[in-house]
Amino acid sequence: MIETHVSEALTVSERIAACFGISAARALAIRPLYEAKLAVVHLEHSYDNGEHTILLPADDAFLVMLYLVDVDHRDILPDGAQTPLKTYSRGSMCLISLRNGAAISVRGRFEALAFHIPSALFIELAEEAGEPRIDDLITCRGIDDQVVRNIGAALIPMFDMPDEVRDTLLPHIGLALSAHLTHRYGRSPIQHLSGTGQLSPLQEKRIKAYIAANLSGGTPVDKIAEACGFSVDELCSGFLSTTGQSVSEWIASYRMSRAQSQLSRTGETIARIAAECGFPDENEFVATFTRAEGVPPAAWRLRNRH
């Protein structure tokens, strides 16, 4: 196997490219808020002579890989063991922490957008938005994230745009990406309820933001608790005491509200709205909506279309 070792003297974008054995790659540097910079690197290479080992050094940052073609690779674990070779489909993404470094082995054609996001950016984002900070992101491999996919599609033409046009747009895109990753994948430090047994306003905001960002995934209570820094018992008791609703009641109400907004404001199919709002399938959505509103979603849409 071929291995690549990287000089610390290189820029972040150059280091990422060098890790993949690429001498020159198109890159964007984005400063969404203050000092922290987000790097986006367009990686393209063919590893035709067997597998290529890629070693990513330890860094106080996270790496998002958005695959632009089907890619074959395996993870190399800290003890040197290797996972089975897996095909990551075009449009899917992986999200990992670089705190302890990472290693993979790739073969064949490789093309992806690599987003290098320093932890400092999430600190700046929390301070700017007045939200609880996060101290980690949930590791994901090979998942379909439409928001990240759309942001990637918007960024690709910007590699060739004039600087004055690109530099106006990039901070907004970088901010949207950072906020999305925070709300969907962020993990808060360990949280505790106040002396009254209630959530603080920031804790309540973080929990509801996480639910909203992950609605299509079903949002089980244990996953909400883990991401937001609570035990399941504290989350449930604190949420009920603060809002007057159980977590499941609030989610059910929010699902219906989101579905109504989608029905009235978009042309999405009933099946797509059902999936985006976290219903198991279209039939379950239609039955639940009809019980709540007295008419099926299609009929409700005709009466309430904006």
Side-chain angles (χ1 to χ4, degrees), residues 207-220:
I207 292 165
K208 289 180 176 178
Y210 180 84
I211 293 170
N214 292 274
L215 198 62
S216 62
T219 54

Side-chain angles (χ1 to χ4, degrees), residues 91-270:
S92 66
M93 75 149 207
C94 291
L95 165 60
I96 62 169
S97 169
L98 293 177
R99 237 163 246 173
N100 299 311
I104 61 173
S105 180
V106 181
R107 75 176 185 189
R109 187 181 172 206
F110 182 92
E111 185 178 5
L113 287 183
F115 299 82
H116 177 277
I117 308 159
S119 298
L121 179 54
F122 295 108
I123 295 172
E124 290 182 358
L125 184 63
E127 292 174 350
E128 175 69 15
E131 294 187 355
R133 70 179 179 88
I134 64 166
D135 62 358
D136 200 2
L137 297 178
I138 297 170
T139 298
C140 305
R141 290 185 172 88
I143 71 164
D144 181 19
D145 186 314
Q146 184 177 356
V147 173
V148 173
R149 197 168 66 244
N150 290 343
I151 287 174
L155 283 170
I156 288 173
M158 293 189 182
F159 288 101
D160 301 314
M161 283 185 180
D163 289 349
E164 60 272 16
V165 177
R166 184 177 60 201
D167 293 346
T168 300
L169 298 173
L170 284 179
H172 302 289
I173 295 177
L175 191 59
L177 174 66
S178 305
H180 171 69
L181 296 176
T182 297
H183 290 151
R184 182 157 187 179
Y185 305 106
R187 288 182 175 176
S188 296
I190 298 299
Q191 302 287 306
H192 298 287
L193 300 175
S194 67
T196 64
Q198 294 187 323
L199 303 168
S200 71
L202 285 180
Q203 289 170 337
E204 181 182 355
K205 183 177 181 181
R206 171 77 178 108
I207 292 165
K208 289 180 176 178
Y210 180 84
I211 293 170
N214 292 274
L215 198 62
S216 62
T219 54
V221 173
D222 59 336
K223 295 297 183 184
I224 300 169
E226 180 184 10
C228 296
F230 286 99
S231 69
V232 171
D233 288 344
E234 278 200 319
L235 171 69
C236 291
S237 65
F239 196 91
L240 179 61
S241 177
T242 305
T243 68
Q245 292 179 294
S246 68
V247 176
S248 59
E249 287 171 341
W250 192 88
I251 291 174
S253 176
Y254 184 76
R255 277 202 182 108
M256 289 299 296
S257 176
R258 175 80 75 87
Q260 288 175 343
S261 177
Q262 293 282 80
L263 286 167
S264 64
R265 297 177 183 275
T266 76
E268 295 282 4
T269 64
I270 300 299

